[in-house]
Amino acid sequence: MSVKIRLQRHGKKGKPFFHIVVADSRARRDGRFIEKLGTYNPITNPATIELNVDSAVQWLNNGAQPTDTARAILSYKGALYKKHLQGGVAKGAFDEAEAEKRFNAWVEAKDSKVQGKVEGLATAKADAKKAALDAEVKVNEARVAAAAQAEADAKAAEEAANAPAEEVVAEATEGEAPAAETEENPEA
């Protein structure tokens, strides 16, 4: 019986969620499995992976073959590195305490790198939000300035339209006044 460490697809259409399982290679993808090692959610950024590293290492030592994606996940979480360190202990290169110390140092470095990525994404999101707000403020200021300019133009056009009418009325009034004066003079 060939044993594989692979992913089982769960979640709805367009929103995948995977279980990391140990299963017989002849079993269906989402069918029977021997043991569930963890979960993998690729939707989040960075991807959320929960894995029982010790159980995964035990299965790797027993001969379970991971699929390509499962191998990448096991490498990311340090299961393959821990198996490598256990091989060094078995050969006598160093003791169990040194292997555990090296693994913990690697895990801390990996966690700090992931945390740095999370903080970088949060900073980038905040910067993008601030830039969008600044752009919106500029657009709003431009709209207010355009509205004020249009209002000023309308007022100037209205004054220009009223001014010739007043001049015509004034000219007409002035034209009538001399005529009235001439009419008054003959009577006098």
Side-chain angles (χ1 to χ4, degrees):
M1 174 170 90
S2 177
V3 177
K4 293 270 192 187
I5 298 176
R6 63 186 184 193
L7 301 178
Q8 269 190 347
R9 166 92 189 232
H10 293 279
K12 61 184 184 178
K13 185 165 118 180
K15 299 197 182 285
F17 183 83
F18 298 95
H19 290 185
I20 303 166
V21 297
V22 177
D24 183 359
S25 62
R26 296 171 293 182
R28 294 179 307 178
R29 180 192 73 178
D30 298 335
R32 294 177 59 174
F33 61 90
I34 299 168
E35 183 181 350
K36 179 180 170 186
L37 299 177
T39 59
Y40 168 56
N41 184 1
I43 299 296
T44 61
N45 190 7
T48 305
I49 301 171
E50 294 177 11
L51 180 69
N52 184 348
V53 176
D54 294 328
S55 183
V57 170
Q58 181 182 358
W59 277 105
L60 289 170
N61 286 334
N62 288 339
Q65 295 296 313
T67 60
D68 293 338
T69 307
R71 179 179 298 281
I73 290 171
L74 293 175
S75 177
Y76 182 82
K77 293 305 277 185
L80 296 179
Y81 183 61
K82 191 166 189 174
K83 180 181 183 261
H84 171 74
L85 291 174
Q86 285 181 352
V89 170
K91 293 178 183 175
F94 43 84
D95 61 346
E96 185 68 35
E98 177 67 22
E100 195 64 31
K101 179 179 147 188
R102 288 182 184 183
F103 181 71
N104 289 336
W106 183 89
V107 168
E108 287 177 15
K110 186 71 168 183
D111 288 342
S112 66
K113 187 176 178 182
V114 169
Q115 188 61 30
K117 181 176 181 181
V118 169
E119 290 171 359
L121 290 170
T123 304
K125 186 176 181 181
D127 290 345
K129 189 174 184 180
K130 184 179 179 191
L133 182 62
D134 291 343
E136 187 175 338
V137 166
K138 286 182 182 178
V139 168
N140 287 341
E141 289 174 354
R143 281 187 189 145
V144 168
Q149 181 66 31
E151 187 176 319
D153 291 345
K155 193 176 260 188
E158 183 180 321
E159 289 176 4
N162 290 341
E166 290 175 4
E167 290 176 6
V168 169
V169 171
E171 289 175 6
T173 310
E174 289 174 6
E176 291 174 8
E181 290 175 5
T182 54
E183 290 177 8
E184 290 176 10
N185 288 338
E187 291 177 4

